[in-house]
Amino acid sequence: MTSLGGQLSARRPGDSPFTIRTEVLGGPESRGVLRKMSDLLELMAKRMDALARLENGSELHRASGDGHFAADRFPPGAGLMERIQAIAQNVSDIAVKVDQILRHSLILHSKVSEGRRDQCEAPSDPKFPDCSGKVEWMRARWTSDPCYAFFGVDGTECSFLIYLSEVEWFCPPLPWRNQTATQMAPKPLPKVQAVFRSNLSHLLELMGSGKESLIFMKKRTKRLTAQWALAAQRLAQKLGSVWRDQKQILVHIGFLTEESGDVFSPRVLKGGPLGEMVQWADILATLYVLGHGLRITVSLKELQSNLGVPPGRGNCPLTMPLPFDLIYTDYHGLQQMKQHMGLSFKKYRCRIRVIDTFGTEPAYNHEEYATLHGYRTNWGYWNLNPKQFMTMFPHTPDNSFMGFVSEELNETEKQLIRGGKASNMAVVYGKEASILLFQGKDKFLGVLNKYMEIHGTVYYESQRPPEVPAFVKNHGLLPQPEFQQLLRKAKLFIGFGFPYEGPAPLEAIANGCVFLQARFSPPHSSLNHEFFRGKPTSRELFSQHPYAENFIGKPHVWTVDYNNSEEFEAAIKAIMRTQVDPYLPYEYSCEGMLERIHAYIQHQDFCAAPGPVPPGARAPQSPFVLAPNATHLEWAQNASSAPGAWPPAHSLRAWLAAAGRACTDACLDRGLICEPSFFPFLNSRDAFQKLQVPCDSTESEMNHLYPAFAQPGRECFLQKEPLLFSCAGSSTKYHRLCPCRDFRKGQVALCQDCL
């Protein structure tokens, strides 16, 4: 048991335990504490008095043989009692003095407040034009959210100005306030190198449990552990001694929170869509294997705790600087953060990455433009850099391609598949009977049934079998390993038009299947299909899985008109004669995803990106030269590379697209990828002149199709709003000026020199 003296001596020299407490508590609480301490010490003195009488008598008899030792070891009880009584008296005296000081300070405070009243008027400072308006708002509404009281607002003018200058930033600092604390920014932590991880057991703990969706994700991560470890080893060898900053990352899966409804978890075991959970499981594994610090939240309460959200309704900034370098979330999580971060959301939104399956085009992302021009939807208008949206497939170059992974087979497994394929076995794509929509497809199903044995994995309950044709052998919902075994035996994986752009076709192709899908005519989009209505994209889908059609193609992928019986039957016959090996695009392997996300984390910076060249500004020396064949612009070899540009500016190739052609398609036509980060380099009259385009006039406007050239009036148009630079979009009126770049084989997200 620690002695009273030991407790006192443990404090810093010169500190008094009593003064420390009075400084912390202040007011009536401190007086009460001091009185309790005084009472306790008096009680101790009484008990010590009785104890001393008992011990003094017995100890003096036992120590009679060595009086000197006994005297040293046991100081007289009376002396100890006197000390305790003196301490008690001191405490009592201190309590009285504190009471006097507090009364005096209240009087002094009232006088000081009167003296400072003239210093607590909203200043008219041109650097803070919104200050007076915000003070007016605070007068009327400061009780509307408890967070204001949490930060010390009490209804006085001074408290308004202190809050608006030190917590928010609408008013200038008050000259009589101690500015030391407010001006001292926290020192940045020293950089730490990220180290690849191969053991994922701690990640599985971080992912938590309790939801079917999380259980599914953890099973997937555990099953792929060996592949992640091997991929990390390969990428480490490829990168060599390249320094990688370790980032602190928050992952908030908003669609799994109770507040968003969490419609996915109950459907995991009923054939519901699993694509999002596949992707999130792989995102978590990627970030963890790359060696970054990770925090995972699937509830609003966890999110608020990790962000430092003050108590209240979300109108105030965070209570501390954001402790995360990056935040990965979805649209649900984005909305939750906006509701609870106050002004901090605007301050820190550049650190957010939004997992967005179908993509968000710039015209829908810019709030003002979307509202004025009919692009506003339920999911857009966030005013983020479009590259902060991360898609499942590389269909929208305005966004970043996040992706997912498919299991990669080793050579032994590939040999077993080659020898175990049934040439007449087909598996239907889809697990929900409502999705499959067998009705109305009897014609082509009859043709398929002539040549192949048809298998399905449609979920059903025992008392209510699904409505599937009698000739379809339905296995019910299968666990992933069993589903893969089915794919390894099958020759064909056939899509019925829905779901769009899921991971299953890539898994089938990776297991040696041919994927057969319908061609859409007219293409599906938000204009003619309910599924896409409200999504922030005008993209047109010409097939169920455009990536498989455009980036993989024959012999692995066949896209035909299901309404044409002859074309459909000819495709079935050709597929039965075709021998294919298992194939997995590199960008959907574990190594490909690690490589891509590593590049994003190390190079994408939307907080400190340099501002674009003002529209029409002419550089001292143009970095472009006309290509020898006079068809496009290239970055001049003798021109200095743009500092901080990523992808590197020397990979830029600029083309003038045909009228009515989007930059996405214009670049693909030339075997290149549209790169929106290069638009600022082209946003000048000089670029048109170098392409020998006659600009009789040049205007700068907000339009997601600019920069562009209008043929009839020989007008050149430049982009006025950087957030509207867009690869997507076309009009027969304009020839768009398009920035293209090369890409790494099997990794369209990265240019040749992007690593």
Side-chain angles (χ1 to χ4, degrees):
M1 180 175 176
T2 308
S3 67
L4 179 63
Q7 292 178 26
L8 299 185
S9 63
R11 298 190 181 273
R12 297 191 305 271
D15 283 349
S16 162
F18 306 123
T19 55
I20 289 173
R21 290 299 298 163
T22 57
E23 286 170 8
V24 172
L25 293 173
E29 296 88 352
S30 60
R31 297 198 292 271
V33 170
L34 287 167
R35 289 194 185 101
K36 287 180 181 178
M37 291 175 64
S38 178
D39 294 341
L40 179 61
L41 287 165
E42 288 179 9
L43 179 61
M44 287 175 61
K46 290 177 182 177
R47 292 185 178 178
M48 285 296 298
D49 182 41
L51 183 61
R53 289 195 189 97
L54 288 173
E55 290 185 344
N56 282 345
S58 59
E59 290 297 331
L60 285 170
H61 285 295
R62 275 183 285 171
S64 57
D66 190 353
H68 176 71
F69 175 75
D72 287 346
R73 185 178 176 187
F74 297 103
L80 181 58
M81 282 181 56
E82 287 172 1
R83 293 181 186 179
I84 293 174
Q85 288 170 348
I87 293 173
Q89 183 61 47
N90 288 338
V91 171
S92 180
D93 293 342
I94 290 171
V96 173
K97 290 179 180 178
V98 167
D99 186 75
Q100 294 172 346
I101 292 169
L102 288 172
R103 290 177 187 275
H104 177 71
S105 66
L106 288 173
I107 297 170
L108 182 64
H109 177 70
S110 64
K111 291 181 178 179
V112 170
S113 298
E114 291 175 5
R116 284 184 179 163
R117 188 167 297 162
D118 61 330
Q119 299 181 48
C120 287
E121 295 179 358
S124 56
D125 188 330
K127 295 179 181 177
F128 299 88
D130 299 323
C131 182
S132 58
K134 289 292 179 179
V135 171
E136 287 291 335
W137 189 96
M138 290 291 287
R139 287 195 194 106
R141 302 290 304 278
W142 76 272
T143 57
S144 63
D145 194 325
C147 71
Y148 296 118
F150 173 82
F151 281 109
V153 177
D154 58 9
T156 63
E157 295 292 297
C158 283
S159 69
F160 297 154
L161 287 172
I162 291 170
Y163 174 84
L164 291 170
S165 61
E166 297 179 13
V167 180
E168 296 185 4
W169 40 88
F170 291 106
C171 294
L174 299 174
W176 49 268
R177 289 281 293 175
N178 181 4
Q179 300 300 321
T180 307
T182 57
Q183 290 177 355
M184 284 184 63
K187 292 182 179 179
L189 296 173
K191 289 187 177 182
V192 177
Q193 185 168 11
V195 178
F196 285 104
R197 300 185 181 109
S198 57
N199 187 335
L200 304 187
S201 57
H202 182 54
L203 171 61
L204 298 176
E205 294 176 7
L206 290 173
M207 292 170 73
S209 59
K211 293 176 179 281
E212 290 295 340
S213 48
L214 292 175
I215 294 170
F216 171 85
M217 291 162 63
K218 290 173 72 172
K219 285 181 178 178
R220 175 178 176 81
T221 301
K222 192 172 183 179
R223 189 173 67 250
L224 292 173
T225 295
Q227 294 200 17
W228 285 115
L230 182 59
Q233 183 179 349
R234 290 173 177 168
L235 184 58
Q237 292 173 350
K238 181 185 292 186
L239 295 178
S241 59
V242 172
W243 173 277
R244 296 185 303 114
D245 288 339
Q246 185 188 60
K247 306 291 185 181
Q248 296 304 313
I249 299 174
L250 173 66
V251 177
H252 177 62
I253 310 176
F255 77 88
L256 292 184
T257 62
E258 298 299 329
E259 290 77 12
S260 69
D262 189 13
V263 297
F264 285 89
S265 292
R267 298 171 66 192
V268 169
L269 301 180
K270 297 183 179 181
L274 302 179
E276 285 85 355
M277 280 168 277
V278 165
Q279 186 181 36
W280 275 109
D282 296 345
I283 290 170
L284 292 174
T286 298
L287 298 174
Y288 187 81
V289 170
L290 286 172
H292 299 292
L294 210 55
R295 193 76 58 86
I296 304 168
T297 61
V298 292
S299 76
L300 183 58
K301 186 176 179 180
E302 291 175 315
L303 174 68
Q304 291 172 321
S305 174
N306 281 281
L307 292 178
V309 174
R313 300 188 178 92
N315 290 303
C316 296
L318 303 180
T319 59
M320 59 183 181
L322 188 69
F324 302 103
D325 301 299
L326 293 170
I327 300 176
Y328 287 82
T329 189
D330 52 27
Y331 264 123
H332 294 285
L334 191 64
Q335 184 65 45
Q336 290 168 350
M337 280 186 265
K338 184 178 182 181
Q339 288 175 348
H340 295 277
M341 290 177 67
L343 283 176
S344 295
F345 179 80
K346 185 175 182 180
K347 180 178 181 180
Y348 294 121
R349 65 183 176 183
C350 59
R351 303 188 191 183
I352 297 173
R353 306 293 182 265
V354 185
I355 307 305
D356 175 17
T357 302
F358 293 99
T360 298
E361 294 175 1
Y364 296 82
N365 171 61
H366 191 281
E367 183 174 15
E368 179 186 352
Y369 186 80
T371 304
L372 290 174
H373 298 277
Y375 292 102
R376 191 178 178 106
T377 68
N378 292 334
W379 300 105
Y381 63 86
W382 287 95
N383 290 329
L384 300 178
N385 185 309
K387 281 287 186 181
Q388 290 177 252
F389 298 100
M390 312 190 89
T391 59
M392 185 171 277
F393 290 93
H395 45 58
T396 307
D398 293 307
N399 305 149
S400 297
F401 163 43
M402 169 59 77
F404 58 92
V405 305
S406 287
E407 296 187 40
E408 194 171 2
L409 305 180
N410 58 40
E411 284 304 317
T412 302
E413 291 170 320
K414 289 179 181 178
Q415 288 291 343
L416 290 173
I417 286 176
R418 292 186 188 103
K421 282 286 181 185
S423 61
N424 64 339
M425 178 178 171
V427 175
V428 175
Y429 178 19
K431 299 172 184 176
E432 284 187 296
S434 60
I435 287 179
L436 289 178
L437 299 175
F438 283 102
Q439 296 82 359
K441 297 182 172 63
D442 297 338
K443 193 173 182 181
F444 73 79
L445 278 173
V447 174
L448 180 62
N449 189 42
K450 279 173 49 180
Y451 297 95
M452 290 193 165
E453 182 181 88
I454 305 174
H455 293 250
T457 58
V458 181
Y459 168 79
Y460 67 94
E461 296 175 354
S462 56
Q463 68 274 20
R464 189 178 179 183
E467 297 179 7
V468 298
F471 53 79
V472 175
K473 184 178 180 180
N474 187 33
H475 298 262
L477 192 63
L478 295 177
Q480 189 67 13
E482 294 180 31
F483 179 62
Q484 286 199 324
Q485 290 302 318
L486 188 66
L487 292 176
R488 291 181 182 188
K489 295 176 184 176
K491 175 73 174 181
L492 178 68
F493 189 64
I494 182 168
F496 286 177
F498 193 85
Y500 298 109
E501 301 184 310
L506 265 66
E507 293 176 351
I509 295 167
N511 282 284
C513 293
V514 172
F515 177 51
L516 177 64
Q517 64 174 344
R519 182 185 300 116
F520 297 152
S521 182
H524 291 190
S525 71
S526 59
L527 298 177
N528 61 10
H529 205 279
E530 188 62 32
F531 179 82
F532 291 103
R533 195 157 288 128
K535 290 183 170 58
T537 175
S538 57
R539 192 163 60 96
E540 295 180 324
L541 274 70
F542 290 85
S543 63
Q544 181 176 352
H545 207 291
Y547 175 86
E549 178 185 7
N550 298 323
F551 288 90
I552 300 177
K554 291 182 179 180
H556 301 280
V557 180
W558 292 63
T559 305
V560 300
D561 181 1
Y562 281 18
N563 295 317
N564 186 326
S565 299
E566 294 181 358
E567 183 183 353
F568 183 81
E569 187 169 4
I572 296 296
K573 291 178 179 179
I575 289 170
M576 292 180 70
R577 295 191 303 267
T578 303
Q579 296 296 320
V580 297
D581 288 330
Y583 173 71
L584 178 64
Y586 174 76
E587 55 201 350
Y588 284 97
S589 68
C590 290
E591 182 183 349
M593 187 166 183
L594 286 173
E595 178 185 85
R596 183 168 62 254
I597 308 310
H598 149 73
Y600 289 159
I601 290 175
Q602 299 303 317
H603 297 290
Q604 284 186 336
D605 185 354
F606 305 116
C607 298
V613 177
R618 196 181 181 96
Q621 183 178 1
S622 173
F624 305 113
V625 294
L626 190 65
N629 59 6
T631 58
H632 63 280
L633 297 181
E634 296 178 347
W635 197 268
Q637 291 184 354
N638 60 351
S640 59
S641 184
W646 191 86
H650 60 76
S651 63
L652 168 63
R653 306 287 185 272
W655 302 77
L656 193 69
R661 201 76 173 142
C663 285
T664 302
D665 300 321
C667 293
L668 283 175
D669 291 344
R670 295 161 176 84
L672 301 169
I673 297 294
C674 181
E675 180 50 62
S677 64
F678 289 160
F679 269 116
F681 299 125
L682 300 178
N683 197 38
S684 68
R685 186 185 177 102
D686 175 72
F688 286 103
Q689 290 177 338
K690 282 289 175 66
L691 275 170
Q692 301 175 352
V693 174
C695 296
D696 288 351
S697 66
T698 305
E699 301 290 339
S700 296
E701 298 177 12
M702 275 177 40
N703 190 313
H704 71 288
L705 302 180
Y706 295 167
F709 171 69
Q711 183 78 44
R714 306 207 329 176
E715 297 175 285
C716 292
F717 295 95
L718 304 179
Q719 182 59 259
K720 190 176 181 180
E721 171 51 66
L723 288 181
L724 284 174
F725 284 128
S726 176
C727 292
S730 63
S731 168
T732 54
K733 179 182 177 181
Y734 298 117
H735 295 262
R736 299 196 58 195
L737 185 54
C738 301
C740 309
R741 63 161 171 83
D742 56 24
F743 58 91
R744 299 171 70 86
K745 184 179 180 181
Q747 186 75 286
V748 297
L750 303 180
C751 67
Q752 294 286 356
D753 296 328
C754 277
L755 282 181

